[in-house]
Amino acid sequence: MLFFVVCVNCNNSHETVGKKQLFDLNWKFSYGESKFASEIDFSDHGWQNIDLPHDWSTEADFSIQKPSASGEIVGWYRKHFNIPENWIEKDVIIEFEGIGKGAEIFINGLQITESIGKSNSFQLNLKSYLNYEEENVIAIKVSQSKEEFESRDIKNGIFNHVWLIVK
């Protein structure tokens, strides 16, 4: 599976088209509201390096998080990635197998979803949002109410695998 992840960052891979590829490695994570975290040029260098799946309620320091002004607990995920030229004109689908409700997804600074509404699996076509000549950034804001966040019955964050599918 590592081979497929590496190919996402290759510029000349022909074998990746038409395949489902794991997109779990090399994400960044930070707790708390961040007004500009969705922007492509936002600096996430000080953020925690993680691989998915990631359930932030299982981390030791999750209990110290304070709700935002809206009363929610917020976590941000970011991933930088390149798209090979041979993917131009192809559908590039991102598939989430499990993400916390309240997720908002941004590609290259553009919001492509509103709040998801429940923990679920879904797909999004990224084709019209991707840059094939420069680095792309996906940013995901996951927010939960304080009660949901503290519940051990509800998973928080991107708690299952993420895939890229190229058609």
Side-chain angles (χ1 to χ4, degrees), residues 8-154:
V8 168
N9 291 317
C10 294
N11 288 327
N12 58 4
S13 175
H14 296 286
E15 293 136 25
T16 59
V17 175
K19 298 200 184 269
K20 185 174 182 177
Q21 302 162 53
L22 191 64
F23 201 57
D24 283 355
L25 301 180
N26 302 316
W27 287 77
K28 299 277 196 167
F29 175 75
S30 180
Y31 287 112
E33 188 60 71
S34 179
K35 186 175 182 181
F36 300 105
S38 64
E39 299 297 323
I40 195 166
D41 58 352
F42 177 83
S43 176
D44 55 23
H45 294 292
W47 287 21
Q48 180 182 358
N49 294 313
I50 62 159
D51 294 328
L52 302 178
H54 181 251
D55 178 355
W56 23 288
S57 64
T58 62
E59 294 184 355
D61 61 351
F62 94 97
S63 61
I64 64 170
Q65 298 307 311
K66 305 245 185 294
S68 67
S70 65
E72 298 177 317
I73 305 294
V74 176
W76 277 93
Y77 294 86
R78 286 176 54 93
K79 181 176 175 75
H80 301 256
F81 62 101
N82 293 309
I83 297 294
E85 285 183 23
N86 67 318
W87 289 11
I88 295 174
E89 301 303 320
K90 306 270 192 268
D91 287 324
V92 180
I93 312 294
I94 190 165
E95 177 181 23
F96 294 90
E97 288 185 350
I99 189 168
K101 71 185 229 177
E104 298 174 44
I105 301 170
F106 303 81
I107 299 289
N108 298 325
L110 300 171
Q111 185 173 11
I112 62 172
T113 65
E114 300 273 338
S115 180
I116 302 302
K118 64 178 183 175
S119 299
N120 60 4
S121 174
F122 63 95
Q123 296 182 341
L124 297 168
N125 191 334
L126 305 180
K127 179 180 177 178
S128 60
Y129 301 97
L130 295 173
N131 186 336
Y132 296 90
E133 297 174 4
E134 297 177 18
E135 182 178 70
N136 292 276
V137 177
I138 184 169
I140 302 172
K141 176 184 176 183
V142 180
S143 54
Q144 307 275 3
S145 70
K146 186 170 179 359
E147 295 76 24
E148 291 170 326
F149 186 76
E150 292 173 343
S151 171
R152 295 295 181 188
D153 297 331
I154 297 175

